[in-house]
Amino acid sequence: MVIGVLALQGDVREHVRALGDAGATARPVRRLAEIESADGLVIPGGESTTLWKLATAFDLLDPVRKLIADGMPAFGSCAGLIMLADRLQDGAEGQQTFGGIDMTARRNAFGRQVDSFEREVALRLGDRDDAGTVGEGAPFHAVFIRAPWVERAGAEVTVLGEDNGRIVAVRQGPLLATAFHPELTPDRRIHELFVKMVKGTS
């Protein structure tokens, strides 16, 4: 099993390392053939308008959109959440996404770069302790950098986490997205969840 990390812009190296820690073989991908040969795709945090423009320039926007629509597992953090949203609020003029998750993402929702912050967020990841009990709302140290949030989520979207009432982590089928950057922390639970999701579809 190989998971590709879209290497157009953003925290590529950090996601590759986190996926390796989570037990996956991970590699940067930027050509369509490399993406198609992967079992899953991570869209890293960075800047969503830059990701959109580069994906367009490299003729990846529509092909990756189709791969995701056809069932390729994908995980997006921060800007990656925006790229997996079916709808945008406060997007750049003409901005497009890969889509896949029935949600509206609001860009820069928590503020600009100067408003970045870190805090504990309760996540419902289905964690199990040694006794086999599923943890509800286990804390995760989340890093928010010029972060979006999910303004609205469709009926098929499972909300995995909120911050002060704002949706910051979601899942829909084989798609996973967080408004924060789990790749920047030593906590690998989100990457481990995505590895399990990829294994479940391969």
Side-chain angles (χ1 to χ4, degrees), residues 2-201:
V2 174
I3 297 177
V5 180
L6 188 61
L8 297 180
Q9 188 254 354
D11 297 336
V12 176
R13 179 179 59 187
E14 290 81 1
H15 274 293
V16 169
R17 181 184 302 118
L19 289 164
D21 291 345
T25 298
R27 63 182 182 220
V29 294
R30 61 173 55 89
R31 296 178 177 84
L32 181 58
E34 295 171 333
I35 298 169
E36 290 175 330
S37 68
D39 300 294
L41 181 66
V42 170
I43 305 163
E47 213 292 314
S48 65
T49 56
T50 301
L51 286 171
W52 156 54
K53 290 176 181 178
L54 288 172
T56 302
F58 283 94
D59 294 321
L60 293 176
L61 189 65
D62 288 334
V64 172
R65 183 184 288 151
K66 185 177 187 307
L67 287 170
I68 290 172
D70 289 344
M72 172 176 266
F75 164 45
S77 65
C78 195
L81 177 147
I82 294 169
M83 291 301 294
L84 287 176
D86 282 346
R87 298 169 299 278
L88 294 184
Q89 184 172 324
D90 298 332
E93 184 176 356
Q95 184 171 353
Q96 298 181 56
T97 69
F98 298 132
I101 299 180
D102 181 15
M103 64 181 178
T104 301
R106 181 177 173 187
R107 289 178 67 244
N108 300 335
F110 285 101
R112 304 189 66 79
Q113 195 82 14
V114 70
D115 301 307
S116 300
F117 62 94
E118 301 180 25
R119 66 168 155 250
E120 301 298 308
V121 173
L123 294 184
R124 296 175 289 276
L125 299 178
D127 308 55
R128 294 183 182 272
D129 61 20
D130 292 339
T133 303
V134 175
E136 286 294 328
F140 191 100
H141 187 76
V143 179
F144 292 84
I145 302 174
R146 204 171 147 197
W149 66 49
V150 176
E151 190 76 17
R152 288 181 295 278
E156 300 301 314
V157 177
T158 300
V159 175
L160 302 180
E162 297 177 83
D163 178 73
N164 292 325
R166 302 296 188 180
I167 300 171
V168 296
V170 295
R171 176 179 178 179
Q172 183 178 346
L175 304 179
L176 178 68
T178 62
F180 51 89
H181 293 263
E183 72 279 8
L184 299 182
T185 77
D187 192 330
R188 299 307 190 211
R189 284 178 291 159
I190 290 174
H191 288 85
E192 289 168 356
L193 172 60
F194 184 59
V195 170
K196 290 177 184 177
M197 291 166 59
V198 175
K199 286 180 178 178
T201 60

